Amino acid sequence: METGSSSEFLDRGKAMRGGGTGMKHDVGAAKAKVEPFVARSDHDPQELRSWAKRTGFMSDYSGEAGTSASEKFDSVGFDVKSVDDQREGGSSPKIEIDPVLGSKDAWNGAVERQNQKRKIGDEPALYMAGDEGEEPASRGWQGPSGLKYGITENPGLVPLIYYGLQHYLSLVGSLVLIPLIMVPTMGGTDNDTANVISTMLFLSGVTTILHSYFGTRLPLVQGSSFVYLAPALVIMNAEEFRNLTHHKFRHIMRELQGAIIVGSIFQCILGLSGFMSLLLRIINPIVVAPTVAAVGLAFFSYGFPQAGTCMEISIPQIALVLIFTLHLRGISIFGHNTFRIYAVPLSVTLTWIYASFLTAGGAYNYKGCNPKIPSSNILTDACRKHAYTMKHCRTDISNALLTSAWLRIPYPFQWGFPIFHFRTCIIMAVVSLVASVDSIGTYHSASLRMNLRPPTPGVVSRGIALEGFCSILAGLWGSGTGSTTLTENVHTIDTTKVASRRVVELGAAFMILFSFMGKVGALIASIPQALAASVLCFIWALIAALGLSKLQYGQSGSFRNMAIVGVSLFLGLSIPAYFQQYKPQTSLILPPYLVPYGAASSGPFHSGIKQLDFAINGLMSLNMVATLLVAFILDNTVPGSQQERGVYIWSRAEDIANDPSLPSAYSLPRKIAKFFCWAKCLGV
């Protein structure tokens, strides 16, 4: 049946329903005469939408994924079931969203590719809520909003520089704030904090360029991830490290380096062996969503308790970043959503200036108290009471700008040779699996935002293997955390509308250049701790929201999915709380916000093997690990159709061969591919 004859089909359906039981013979004859809906490759989206309104069809998500009415129409992303399944009188033909594209966003993208338009967006094309009252004939095709630059496009030198810096500025909070938490906890100085920040900038630039050439080749920024922050806090709060005074920072950093290197080797093997292709069959949005959300929610005990030490700074900072991100997100300045893109750097700059005025005005001056004296050396009770406030609120407390060098190049083993222990290596190996699950969701979501088909399992395996290699580099250089694809990439692409690979590569080159300037890292290290904690409250909340947004690829209203996600998140928070309550001596040594990370040395699991006890207690005190474990078991044991689960359907090798736009997006450069022709499992 042609789309133009839909009214005829509707009239026949009405006649059949009105005929009653006495007209069964006529109904059968009518059904025999009805031709099945055949989609045209040259369809007009407006005509399809109009047909949908007249027939009143609704998408059916209850069937099995992967069915297809014709190979010709498979690329568009939905199939049409035969009317032979209609019961008395029949019903409107059912159109199913193909899960290969995952969501209505992707379905729009597929239809747009049929019309050769480079666009992305969020509104469904055929049937839109709120349009039921009238035929929107004058509105035309409601296509998605367009990208400014696609993955292979080169905007020119000047726009390239601008968008490259813009891309990284929108991610600055995720890239450089981790050392502000880790280094002071490890007993490091302000200069150590500046050096670790410079190392992270250097590694982010190098690993991003490597990923754009050898990984999935998607324009995704690599960097130190919050996935590795919680296990790093667990390791550095081990009982034997609490009483260290001499070279405590270097000793703990070397311990972290060894654990990261071994865990990253496991991640490399996971990708290079092709085993990741098997895991992709059982890792789905219902597993990814709560796991990523747990990464952000895990730091609720650190966020506002730290920010609350200076309410006069933290409240304005949180308010500003929310106003810029939400209330002013639609305001455009010279064609750019300035407030939305630069929400974090703008709010930090304004609040930092305001905090400087407070410091200069004497808001944190206490009679007879010197902010430069360490709290352990303060003798008077009055000054000891104010020492914590001065340390977290004053903008002149850090001496990083005075002590750091103008030029410093990060180098391998700058903190010493790594230390390898079985207990810490086991923790980081499991965490690398969590990081891989996070990256899988980011690969899929980012490809849809760029109006591309999802990558093949081979390309995903290649990306995971390269992330493992990049984390090995992070272990050698000593950044304190592994390197992975930042979850916030999806938000950045949505915000900037720039998905050019060249833009990200140039931005990465700037990061490498800035890492050589010691004063850049020192400036960031001078951010007051209360201000940094306030920014992290927003970033961690954003990560949790981005994780839960993965539920859009399944049926979020399904009781099965709601139960799995709810149980996973609750147990993911509650199980670690059970392990964290075993802290007989930590509360006397550790600050309150670090007590949850001291369970590894005193948890309830006792096997008689201290190394294994530390690893199990440490892992089960991590929210993301417990959440992943529960979600993985439930999603793969509770029955549910593929469409209900939102199963990720990855592209096939022949899809890349047949689509002229995909080889340039995912395939390795020809000269590089020659050296990897043996690795068919990596999508070469």
Side-chain angles (χ1 to χ4, degrees):
M1 180 181 71
E2 299 287 322
T3 54
S5 61
S6 58
S7 59
E8 180 183 348
F9 174 80
L10 185 61
D11 293 337
R12 291 181 183 179
K14 290 180 179 179
M16 288 188 287
R17 287 192 292 270
T21 58
M23 300 185 66
K24 291 183 178 179
H25 178 73
D26 296 338
V27 170
K31 288 173 65 177
K33 294 179 182 179
V34 174
E35 299 177 1
F37 177 85
V38 178
R40 300 198 308 252
S41 59
D42 58 341
H43 63 81
D44 180 6
Q46 179 61 35
E47 184 180 2
L48 279 179
R49 182 176 176 178
S50 183
W51 172 84
K53 290 299 181 65
R54 291 195 300 271
T55 57
F57 91 95
M58 293 296 292
S59 299
D60 179 18
Y61 289 86
S62 61
E64 291 293 330
T67 56
S68 173
S70 66
E71 294 180 0
K72 177 180 180 180
F73 209 47
D74 182 65
S75 62
V76 181
F78 57 88
D79 61 39
V80 183
K81 289 189 174 182
S82 172
V83 294
D84 293 338
D85 297 334
Q86 297 170 358
R87 293 176 292 180
E88 294 184 17
S91 61
S92 300
K94 298 179 180 179
I95 295 183
E96 296 186 352
I97 303 300
D98 190 289
V100 69
L101 296 171
S103 69
K104 59 185 179 182
D105 299 27
W107 183 81
N108 285 341
V111 175
E112 284 293 81
R113 285 197 298 275
Q114 289 294 107
N115 295 299
Q116 299 179 352
K117 296 179 180 180
R118 303 290 299 174
K119 297 180 178 180
I120 65 171
D122 296 323
E123 292 82 10
L126 292 182
Y127 190 78
M128 301 176 64
D131 293 342
E132 299 174 1
E134 60 182 12
E135 186 77 21
S138 61
R139 291 172 61 183
W141 167 237
Q142 298 296 319
S145 59
L147 286 173
K148 292 180 180 178
Y149 298 102
I151 186 170
T152 59
E153 294 178 327
N154 189 344
L157 181 60
V158 175
L160 202 62
I161 296 174
Y162 171 76
Y163 288 121
L165 291 173
Q166 168 189 275
H167 206 87
Y168 273 83
L169 280 174
S170 64
L171 289 166
V172 66
S174 303
L175 286 172
V176 299
L177 293 183
I178 290 179
L180 297 180
I181 301 175
M182 290 182 56
V183 178
T185 305
M186 298 163 67
T189 63
D190 295 330
N191 193 40
D192 291 330
T193 303
N195 292 337
V196 173
I197 290 174
S198 297
T199 302
M200 284 189 171
L201 291 176
F202 174 78
L203 289 169
S204 176
V206 171
T207 55
T208 299
I209 293 175
L210 288 175
H211 189 84
S212 68
Y213 280 97
F214 301 99
T216 62
R217 306 208 69 202
L218 293 171
L220 301 175
V221 175
Q222 310 293 300
S224 296
S225 172
F226 291 107
V227 173
Y228 288 94
L229 177 57
L233 290 173
V234 167
I235 293 173
M236 68 180 65
N237 285 293
E239 191 170 1
E240 57 268 33
F241 298 148
R242 295 172 196 160
N243 297 323
L244 284 179
T245 56
H246 187 62
H247 297 307
K248 178 180 178 179
F249 167 75
R250 287 181 175 270
H251 186 83
I252 296 178
M253 180 62 79
R254 291 164 59 202
E255 189 85 31
L256 290 174
Q257 287 181 255
I260 291 169
I261 290 173
V262 174
S264 303
I265 292 175
F266 170 76
Q267 190 176 18
C268 278
I269 295 174
L270 199 64
L272 293 174
S273 64
F275 186 67
M276 179 54 66
S277 298
L278 300 178
L279 285 180
L280 290 178
R281 303 177 184 178
I282 51 180
I283 296 177
N284 299 305
I286 307 304
V287 177
V288 175
T291 302
V292 177
V295 173
L297 296 176
F299 301 102
F300 72 92
S301 63
Y302 180 92
F304 201 79
Q306 280 288 88
T309 56
C310 300
M311 300 290 285
E312 62 277 8
I313 294 178
S314 59
I315 295 299
Q317 168 60 38
I318 295 174
L320 275 178
V321 73
L322 290 177
I323 290 172
F324 290 161
T325 307
L326 300 176
H327 297 85
L328 302 181
R329 69 184 188 276
I331 296 180
S332 177
I333 300 178
F334 300 111
H336 301 283
N337 294 325
T338 304
F339 293 106
R340 187 179 177 189
I341 295 173
Y342 303 109
V344 170
L346 268 179
S347 61
V348 169
T349 301
L350 293 176
T351 309
W352 200 351
I353 294 173
Y354 160 68
S356 299
F357 282 119
L358 290 179
T359 301
Y364 306 114
N365 291 340
Y366 301 99
K367 186 177 180 180
C369 301
N370 187 347
K372 299 294 183 179
I373 299 177
S375 56
S376 59
N377 296 339
I378 297 177
L379 300 178
T380 61
D381 292 336
C383 290
R384 190 179 295 112
K385 182 176 64 174
H386 299 302
Y388 194 76
T389 301
M390 291 188 294
K391 178 182 177 182
H392 285 74
C393 305
R394 295 184 67 97
T395 57
D396 60 354
I397 199 70
S398 173
N399 61 357
L401 280 171
L402 298 176
T403 59
S404 62
W406 280 98
L407 179 64
R408 183 184 183 276
I409 300 177
Y411 56 92
F413 307 119
Q414 56 188 326
W415 315 116
F417 194 78
I419 299 174
F420 300 92
H421 282 120
F422 172 78
R423 58 179 189 175
T424 55
C425 294
I426 289 295
I427 291 177
M428 282 302 179
V430 175
V431 169
S432 69
L433 180 61
V434 178
S436 300
V437 171
D438 185 3
S439 296
I440 287 171
T442 304
Y443 293 163
H444 190 275
S445 299
S447 63
L448 301 185
R449 296 300 192 279
M450 299 174 205
N451 204 21
L452 296 171
R453 277 183 175 270
T456 65
V459 173
V460 174
S461 297
R462 194 174 72 208
I464 297 300
L466 188 75
E467 285 191 16
F469 175 76
C470 293
S471 290
I472 293 176
L473 296 181
L476 295 175
W477 261 259
S479 64
T481 64
S483 178
T484 186
T485 301
L486 298 181
T487 309
E488 300 87 322
N489 273 292
V490 177
H491 172 71
T492 299
I493 293 173
D494 269 343
T495 302
T496 62
K497 302 299 183 184
V498 176
S500 171
R501 190 184 293 144
R502 294 289 175 263
V503 166
V504 174
E505 290 170 356
L506 184 64
F510 276 114
M511 292 303 105
I512 296 175
L513 179 62
F514 292 150
S515 71
F516 297 158
M517 303 176 185
K519 296 298 182 183
V520 173
L523 178 64
I524 298 172
S526 302
I527 298 177
Q529 291 190 20
L531 177 56
S534 304
V535 179
L536 289 171
C537 285
F538 170 76
I539 294 175
W540 288 330
L542 179 62
I543 292 174
L546 289 173
L548 293 176
S549 70
K550 303 292 191 298
L551 294 174
Q552 66 181 306
Y553 302 123
Q555 292 184 10
S556 57
S558 164
F559 176 77
R560 173 195 182 274
N561 295 345
M562 289 190 296
I564 291 175
V565 173
V567 170
S568 301
L569 279 176
F570 179 81
L571 291 181
L573 296 175
S574 189
I575 292 176
Y578 167 75
F579 279 79
Q580 292 164 6
Q581 70 181 343
Y582 289 86
K583 49 181 188 303
Q585 298 177 348
T586 55
S587 58
L588 301 177
I589 302 172
L590 298 176
Y593 57 86
L594 291 179
V595 169
Y597 303 104
S601 298
S602 55
F605 183 83
H606 298 286
S607 65
I609 306 174
K610 291 186 177 181
Q611 297 275 344
L612 182 62
D613 293 346
F614 183 93
I616 298 299
N617 288 321
L619 286 171
M620 295 311 297
S621 67
L622 298 176
N623 301 91
M624 57 186 177
V625 174
T627 302
L628 173 61
L629 183 62
V630 176
F632 179 80
I633 292 175
L634 290 178
D635 186 52
N636 288 282
T637 55
V638 178
S641 67
Q642 292 186 4
Q643 284 186 335
E644 183 180 17
R645 298 169 63 196
V647 173
Y648 286 141
I649 305 297
W650 305 93
S651 300
R652 299 167 297 178
E654 49 267 30
D655 295 332
I656 292 184
N658 296 331
D659 191 334
S661 66
L662 291 181
S664 59
Y666 294 124
S667 298
L668 293 175
R670 292 182 180 180
K671 294 182 179 179
I672 298 175
K674 292 179 181 179
F675 295 98
F676 295 94
C677 58
W678 51 272
K680 297 299 182 182
C681 65
L682 301 181
V684 178

